[in-house]
Amino acid sequence: MHFSSKLPEVGTTIFTVMSRRALEEGALNIGQGFPDYPIDPRLAHCLTEVIGEGRNQYAPMEGVVELRERISAKLRTSYGRLFDPDAEITVTCGGTEALYDAIQAVLGPGDEAVIFDPAYDAYEPAVRLAGGRCVRVALSPPAFRFDWDQVRQSLSDRTRLIIINSPQNPSCTVAGRDDLDALAALIRDRPITVLADEVYEHVLYDGRRHASVLAHPELRERSFAVFSFGKTLHATGWRIGYCVAPPAMTRELRKVHQFNTFSIVSPLQYAIARYLGEHSDAWAGLSAFFQAKRDLFAGLLRGSGFEPIPAAGTYFQLVDYGALSRDGDMQFADRLIREAKIATIPLSPFYAAPPAMTLLRLCIAKRDATLEAAAARLCAFAQGRAL
Ligand SMILES: Cc1ncc(COP(=O)(O)O)c(C=O)c1O
C-alpha cells in the first residue's frame, strides 16, 4: 500500500540529528536546550509527597485547580492583571502542546500564519496539520530586528494568525513594547489572532523587562500566551506548560486539548502547585542565574574565533565562526562534532531560505564545569590543536 505523508518534507528535527551525532561521536552536547544540573531537591520531594498521598488519577481536563490558582497569582505578580483560573488558564503537555492546540483552534484549510525566521521548529508542522500555510518573514542576523512594514506586506485576507516568540529561540533577541504596539496596530482591523510563545519569559539580561502580550491591553484580548514550567523550574522532562487566553479563545483551545492529551500528569501538577505555594517567586533569580552563565561562557570564547553575539535573553548563546571558516553551518557543525567533540545547533534549519551566515547556537543551561569544558574544546579547535 502506498502511504502518503501529510508532512512529506518534515524529517527528524535538527535537535535529534545533532544529539544522535553527539552520541555516535562521543561529543559533548551543548546544542540541545536542557539543563545538565539537578532540579531543586524540594521540588523533587514535593513530587514524591503527592504521589504518596495518592494524587495519581486523572487530573481535570483544564488542569488541577491548585496549580491554575498558583499560575494566576504568578501572572498577577508578573503582568499586573488577574486571569481567571477557571476560564482563562489551561495546563498543557509542555509549551509544545499549548502551541499545537492554539494553532489547531485557530487555523483551517487555506488559512495563513505569519511566523518569523529563524523560527522554533514546532510551528510550521502544526500549521500544516491544520491545513494551513506558513508565511515566513525572515529576521536578518546579527540584529534579528522586526521590520513591521515587511510584516504588513506579508498579510493577506487569508491571514488568521501571527506567531511571535520573545525572548526568541534561536536568535536570543527580545521584542520590546514598541514591537507589541506595532503588532497591535497592524492587526487592529483584521481578523488575526496572536500566538505568543513566551516560554523564556523570565530569562532576559542586562536589566531588560519582558514585554508580554498579557501586559498589553489590546493584544491580550486576542492572544494565546504560552508558558513552560520546563524552563522556569529547570525541568524540561516534566512536560508541564500552560496557555493563557480570553475565555472564548480558551474554550476553543480546550476543545483541541481535550481530545489531544485530555489531561496532564496529575502528580506533577500537584507537585508544582505545592512547590509554588512554598516558593511563590521561584523564578525571581532566573535572569541573574543565566546571565552569570552567559557572561562566563561568552568571556571564555571572546577572541577565540567563536565570537559570541550579545544575547538579550533565552538560555542560548549564538557564536559566529566566520573568522575560522566559510563552510556552511551544517557542514561546520558536523566538523565540530567530529574534530572538536562538541555538538552545537546550526542556525540555517530555522529558516525557510537561510541568509548567508556563520552562526551556531549553544545552550548555556549547563553546569559551569560543562561550559568551561565546552569552551576549552572550542578554543583548542580554533587554535588548531585537538584535545
Ligand atoms: C521557543 C520555544 N517554544 C516552545 C518550546 C517548548 O517548550 P516545552 O519544552 O515546555 O514543550 C521551546 C523548548 O525548547 C522553545 O524553545
Side-chain angles (χ1 to χ4, degrees), residues 18-291:
M18 297 315 269
S19 294
R20 192 181 295 152
R21 289 284 296 125
L23 273 179
E24 282 166 11
E25 297 284 343
L28 181 58
N29 188 354
I30 53 159
Q32 206 175 357
F34 59 85
D36 70 344
Y37 44 82
I39 59 171
D40 183 341
R42 180 63 199 138
L43 175 60
H45 192 63
C46 286
L47 180 59
T48 52
E49 276 176 359
V50 299
I51 289 176
E53 290 163 16
R55 304 286 200 178
N56 300 306
Q57 306 309 329
Y58 289 130
M61 178 272 280
E62 61 275 27
V64 305
V65 68
E66 289 86 342
L67 181 57
R68 284 180 288 116
E69 281 172 355
R70 292 280 171 217
I71 292 170
S72 177
K74 172 190 180 305
L75 293 170
R76 187 171 204 170
T77 310
S78 298
Y79 305 121
R81 192 182 162 87
L82 187 62
F83 292 90
D84 181 351
D86 290 331
E88 296 180 294
I89 297 171
T90 309
V91 180
T92 57
C93 181
T96 307
E97 195 222 340
L99 293 169
Y100 183 85
D101 293 351
I103 290 169
Q104 305 310 311
V106 173
L107 295 181
D111 290 342
E112 291 175 2
V114 172
I115 67 173
F116 297 94
D117 284 355
Y120 183 62
D121 65 347
Y123 308 146
E124 170 125 27
V127 168
R128 296 182 67 114
L129 287 172
R133 185 175 88 84
C134 277
V135 175
R136 303 180 71 133
V137 175
L139 309 179
S140 299
F144 301 99
R145 288 270 144 257
F146 291 102
D147 175 344
W148 292 105
D149 282 335
Q150 194 190 347
V151 182
R152 184 189 310 280
Q153 285 160 27
S154 71
L155 302 181
S156 79
D157 49 10
R158 299 311 306 260
T159 311
R160 291 290 170 275
L161 188 65
I162 297 182
I163 305 180
I164 182 169
N165 171 212
S166 176
Q168 215 255 17
N169 172 19
S171 68
C172 309
T173 52
V174 302
R177 169 70 197 224
D178 51 335
D179 289 310
L180 297 193
D181 288 343
L183 173 60
L186 200 61
I187 63 176
R188 193 162 291 143
D189 302 314
R190 295 179 159 100
I192 298 177
T193 300
V194 173
L195 174 53
D197 179 345
E198 302 189 8
V199 300
Y200 298 103
E201 64 177 326
H202 295 303
V203 192
L204 280 83
Y205 303 133
D206 307 315
R208 289 181 178 83
R209 301 271 317 234
H210 175 48
S212 173
V213 293
L214 298 184
H216 193 285
E218 221 178 322
L219 287 179
R220 74 170 156 251
E221 298 304 322
R222 54 202 300 176
S223 297
F224 294 96
V226 170
F227 303 94
S228 169
F229 283 117
K231 310 294 177 190
T232 38
L233 299 179
H234 310 284
T236 59
W238 280 32
R239 314 297 304 123
I240 306 284
Y242 54 98
C243 185
V244 185
M249 290 167 60
T250 292
R251 274 197 296 279
E252 294 308 306
L253 174 113
R254 286 181 183 172
K255 289 180 189 171
V256 182
H257 166 71
Q258 167 164 249
F259 295 109
N260 181 5
T261 51
F262 174 58
S263 76
I264 306 305
V265 188
S266 52
L268 293 177
Q269 295 191 59
Y270 285 111
I272 293 175
R274 183 167 298 180
Y275 181 76
L276 292 183
E278 295 167 7
H279 301 86
S280 57
D281 61 348
W283 54 90
L286 277 183
S287 283
F289 176 82
F290 285 117
Q291 185 169 319

